[in-house]
Amino acid sequence: MPTSLKHEKLTKNIIGVFYDVYNDLGHGFIESVYENSFMIALLEFGYEVGNQVKIPVSFRDRVVGNFEADIVVESKVILELKSASCLVPANEAQLLNYLRATDIEVGLLFNFGEKPALKRLIYENSRKRRRGGMSFLDALYQK
């Protein structure tokens, strides 16, 4: 019995957008160029997107800081963009922390290096420790 990936169609489309942006721009630009281009392409695709989305981090029911996710798509997938020679474990750890701090379970890590690279990360909500307080999505839409 074949298994399906969480948000499979959405992530497949986002990965396609990544390759479109990479093929148009190539490598060598700073991260913000790729982020802005990715945003344009995702909006053209009709997706609801936000960039530099603040993610509150709580400790003992107190917000102790914020992460900023590069892009959030449809409130379902966090995108972390890099423009480096290669992806390193710290990049994965960063995205996993974003997932851990939110109700979002799927993250895509993209590198616009000499060779395009990507990783799909999952952190299921059932594995996350919650200690009261406001969910990420509640905080996001409370603006």
Side-chain angles (χ1 to χ4, degrees):
M1 175 200 253
T3 59
S4 64
L5 300 172
K6 185 172 277 297
H7 307 308
E8 182 174 13
K9 182 178 179 189
L10 176 59
T11 57
K12 182 178 180 181
N13 289 341
I14 294 168
I15 291 167
V17 170
F18 164 67
Y19 282 110
D20 285 345
V21 172
Y22 186 88
N23 289 336
D24 280 354
L25 296 176
H27 72 281
F29 290 104
I30 61 173
E31 188 180 305
S32 61
V33 169
Y34 296 112
E35 181 179 323
N36 292 334
S37 301
F38 221 127
M39 287 289 295
I40 291 167
L42 289 167
L43 287 167
E44 287 175 352
F45 220 92
Y47 288 120
E48 179 184 317
V49 296
N51 66 324
Q52 296 305 308
V53 177
K54 287 193 185 315
I55 298 173
V57 179
S58 296
F59 176 76
R60 297 184 180 164
D61 294 328
R62 293 184 184 108
V63 174
V64 294
N66 290 297
F67 283 121
E68 286 189 1
D70 288 338
I71 299 174
V72 176
V73 183
E74 296 288 320
S75 298
K76 293 179 182 176
V77 181
I78 296 176
L79 310 184
E80 181 59 28
L81 310 181
K82 299 297 178 191
S83 179
S85 57
C86 64
L87 293 174
V88 296
N91 302 142
E92 290 181 50
Q94 179 184 11
L95 182 53
L96 282 173
N97 281 332
Y98 292 174
L99 294 174
R100 196 171 87 192
T102 68
D103 298 327
I104 296 175
E105 297 178 298
V106 179
L108 294 171
L109 175 60
F110 295 110
N111 186 35
F112 290 89
E114 192 171 334
K115 291 183 180 180
L118 68 98
K119 290 204 175 197
R120 186 179 197 279
L121 303 176
I122 303 293
Y123 201 121
E124 294 178 340
N125 286 332
S126 62
R127 296 180 53 217
K128 299 175 186 178
R129 252 164 85 190
R130 294 282 185 231
R131 290 195 167 116
M134 189 178 298
S135 76
F136 161 73
L137 292 177
D138 290 339
L140 178 66
Y141 292 111
Q142 190 179 30
K143 294 180 188 178

